[in-house]
Amino acid sequence: MMPSPNSDPPEQSLGDFLHHEVYPRLTAEQVYDWPGHNWQKSGKKWRGACPWHDSKSGTSFDVSTDSLLWYCAGCGVGGGPLEYRWRRQDGRGDPGGENFVRLVRELAELAGVPFPERELSPEETKEAQERAARSAALTMVYRLCQDRLWAPEGTLAREYLHTRGLADDAIRDLELGLYPAASDVRKMLSAAGHQTNRNTGVDSALEGYITFPWRDDAGRPLTIYGRWPAKEAPQGKPKTYAQPGENSKRSPLYFDRVIRAGHDAVVLVEGVIDAAVLQSLGQTDV
């Protein structure tokens, strides 16, 4: 049934409020305010020291200023503003229940956005919490896959990408990776206090695949797409693999890049490598 013209619009969920009202109004300077970071800034990528471990280089902690996502290579953990604030308060894993709502309220205040003054159901709070936790977990999985692609075991996969027209700089810029053993992913997420299941990126079906981080229109993690690193996949394996999940493809691949580039029209192509190659050649509307 369609709502009547005079009916009130549906209330925005807590998860949508956080991702669409709060995060877009925050800046990296506001969120990542620990004085010891001593940022080395290069465009939209900042590198600095980590609040939770000593680093000789002082660059193990990095932030993407457009998506506000962070990752520490030394700690092996990452996430968004909410996870950063939680860890700065000595929290571990995923904040739940009252802690999660409190953190959303604090970030809303920082962003200058009024917090919804209505009763939040346990179901709504849980949905928002799970959404944020999934995004944080996938951030870590993306980085683990990137590290594996640039390790010796990623040589053949990188050579395959070269044959498809992707140079090393493009491979790094597009954050392509190589999915390791699922047990390694599970171990990393478990050590950081995250859930370990397909929803958070633990998927044995992806082992050995080149990974494409699939993000939403604001650059936050949605899912993982895999492409076998050869013209043909071994018998019994598909050439491409997309992680299942409700609404996991609700935003087209690289749509966040199209938006950041300011385009008002897009070019649609069928294959992920086609899109990656054209993006790497500067065609930012693909």
Side-chain angles (χ1 to χ4, degrees):
M1 178 182 296
M2 294 291 291
S4 67
N6 296 324
S7 62
D8 293 330
E11 291 180 330
Q12 187 179 46
S13 72
L14 185 61
D16 284 342
F17 171 74
L18 175 64
H19 288 279
H20 297 301
E21 299 295 332
V22 177
Y23 281 173
R25 291 172 171 82
L26 290 172
T27 66
E29 289 87 352
Q30 287 177 297
V31 176
Y32 301 103
D33 58 354
W34 181 59
H37 282 306
N38 295 321
W39 295 117
Q40 298 179 20
K41 301 179 180 181
S42 177
K44 295 181 179 180
K45 294 289 185 182
W46 294 1
R47 294 185 181 277
C50 174
W52 306 295
H53 84 281
D54 293 329
S55 168
K56 291 183 179 179
S57 69
T59 59
S60 62
F61 189 98
D62 65 70
V63 170
S64 175
T65 60
D66 46 11
S67 67
L68 294 183
L69 294 173
W70 62 274
Y71 183 80
C72 176
C75 296
V77 296
L82 187 140
E83 289 76 26
Y84 176 82
R85 201 172 187 90
W86 176 235
R87 286 185 65 87
R88 287 287 308 279
Q89 297 173 6
D90 296 325
R92 183 180 180 278
D94 302 321
E98 293 181 0
N99 283 325
F100 180 83
V101 175
R102 174 179 56 78
L103 289 166
V104 175
R105 188 184 292 273
E106 289 176 5
L107 289 170
E109 182 177 351
L110 187 64
V113 180
F115 188 82
E117 295 302 331
R118 58 180 176 81
E119 185 174 354
L120 300 172
S121 69
E123 292 77 17
E124 180 182 358
T125 301
K126 181 180 179 182
E127 185 276 334
Q129 176 190 339
E130 290 178 347
R131 183 171 166 183
R134 172 179 167 80
S135 179
L138 287 177
T139 296
M140 296 172 57
V141 177
Y142 290 171
R143 290 298 294 265
L144 177 63
C145 294
Q146 291 173 58
D147 290 344
R148 291 303 169 94
L149 181 61
W150 293 101
E153 57 264 38
T155 300
L156 292 178
R158 295 198 308 275
E159 290 176 352
Y160 171 74
L161 289 170
H162 294 161
T163 68
R164 297 300 304 272
L166 288 164
D168 285 350
D169 286 347
I171 293 170
R172 292 184 186 277
D173 178 61
L174 295 168
E175 304 175 294
L176 306 188
L178 180 68
Y179 200 90
S183 58
D184 291 343
V185 181
R186 186 177 295 108
K187 180 180 179 180
M188 175 193 67
L189 292 177
S190 178
H194 287 291
Q195 296 291 318
T196 56
N197 51 49
R198 181 176 284 182
N199 190 53
T200 54
V202 181
D203 194 339
S204 59
L206 269 171
E207 291 179 356
Y209 281 79
I210 293 171
T211 56
F212 291 74
W214 196 302
R215 301 178 180 275
D216 68 11
D217 57 353
R220 288 177 289 271
L222 273 179
T223 189
I224 306 172
Y225 191 95
R227 174 61 164 84
W228 190 258
K231 185 175 181 180
E232 300 295 335
Q235 187 174 1
K237 283 184 172 290
K239 184 185 298 186
T240 60
Y241 177 80
Q243 273 205 300
E246 186 178 357
N247 294 322
S248 62
K249 312 296 188 304
R250 65 178 180 265
S251 183
L253 182 68
Y254 300 139
F255 190 45
D256 58 316
R257 289 173 172 255
V258 173
I259 292 174
R260 288 204 306 271
H263 296 291
D264 57 7
V266 299
V267 175
L268 301 178
V269 297
E270 183 178 4
V272 294
I273 290 187
D274 297 333
V277 169
L278 290 169
Q279 281 279 340
S280 75
L281 293 174
Q283 195 166 339
T284 56
D285 57 351
V286 175

